[in-house]
Amino acid sequence: MASPMRNLLADPDRYLQSFRLFLERSTEHQSMQEFVERQLPDVVASIGNGKSTINVLSVGGGAGEMDLQILSKIRARYPRATINNEVVEPSADQISKYKERVAQASNLENIKFTWHKETANEYESRMIAENKTKKWDFIHMIQMLYYVKDIPATVRYFHSLLESQGKLLIILVSGKSGWETLWKKYGSSFPTEDLCSYVSSGDLPRMLDSAGLKYQLYELQSHMDITSCFIEGDKDGELLLDFLTETLDFAKTAPPELKRQVMEDLRKPGCSQNRDGKVFFNNNQGVMVIEP
């Protein structure tokens, strides 16, 4: 009998609900903010040398929270330049939130925004069809490579759009995170339905090396409180479990033995740490900065 398990992305509303809860319960954005504060100024130190306009492409920009922080660092480095920021994002809801964020921000002089409601693959297809090869000084792909069909081809395509001083920034879950442990063991049991790939920063160096690309790697420490996942019937716990397994209503639809094993492993050191009666999932991120 076919499993009733379905991929979480089959229900966009529940996916967004679980994603927002994940951001609330994890230190994901804080760890990225720290990277943007401490390391990004060096990363963007030469991308706009001698330029009056700096072109930035955000692939999978979401609601724009990280984008605006990245832009503020680029503007701080090049205060006299105009920044042309284009965003590729398939969710109308996220674009709408991004636009609200821009409308409310007070420090975006000299930054022009353009949004494209499309996936990375749709953007690539459109550019090729229109015979366009626009070059970019900075391209970032934050937590979005899970949703492309051919990861090496996507990375190669966007890398090919870099200017001679440009940089491509990719952030994914770390190869040393609880995600990696969970996906390696259970990835084939979860219903991906071609909607997502289980890829981590541990998989990328091999791809980049085989393409002969130069890059730097950074590890960002992050965790997520998943204590509520172990409280039977807890609504937030069920949402977080959905997000962890990419499965719609995992607590209700997973075969009992799979659920038992996943819950057991989620408590173990490969996935989490137990502190003060709480369970903290290892949500470390891997950052790759790729040279032209």
Side-chain angles (χ1 to χ4, degrees), residues 13-82:
D13 288 343
R14 189 164 172 93
Y15 172 79
L16 270 178
Q17 251 186 300
S18 67
F19 176 60
R20 287 186 188 130
L21 185 63
F22 156 74
L23 288 180
E24 202 180 289
R25 296 287 173 88
S26 74
T27 59
E28 168 121 336
H29 271 175
Q30 294 91 307
S31 67
M32 286 188 205
Q33 283 160 358
E34 211 168 286
F35 173 82
V36 167
E37 283 299 319
R38 293 183 181 177
Q39 270 100 12
L40 194 71
D42 287 343
V43 171
V44 301
S46 60
I47 62 167
N49 284 354
K51 297 191 168 200
S52 57
T53 301
I54 296 170
N55 293 313
V56 178
L57 181 63
S58 164
V59 187
E65 188 178 349
M66 292 312 304
D67 285 24
L68 296 193
Q69 292 179 33
I70 288 168
L71 290 169
S72 76
K73 290 298 170 205
I74 295 174
R75 206 186 56 169
R77 175 69 183 82
Y78 303 101
R80 290 183 186 84
T82 297

Side-chain angles (χ1 to χ4, degrees), residues 128 146 255 287:
I128 291 167
Y146 319 109
V287 178

Side-chain angles (χ1 to χ4, degrees), residues 73-92:
K73 290 298 170 205
I74 295 174
R75 206 186 56 169
R77 175 69 183 82
Y78 303 101
R80 290 183 186 84
T82 297
I83 298 172
N84 166 40
N85 183 68
E86 293 198 26
V87 182
V88 174
E89 168 56 52
S91 163

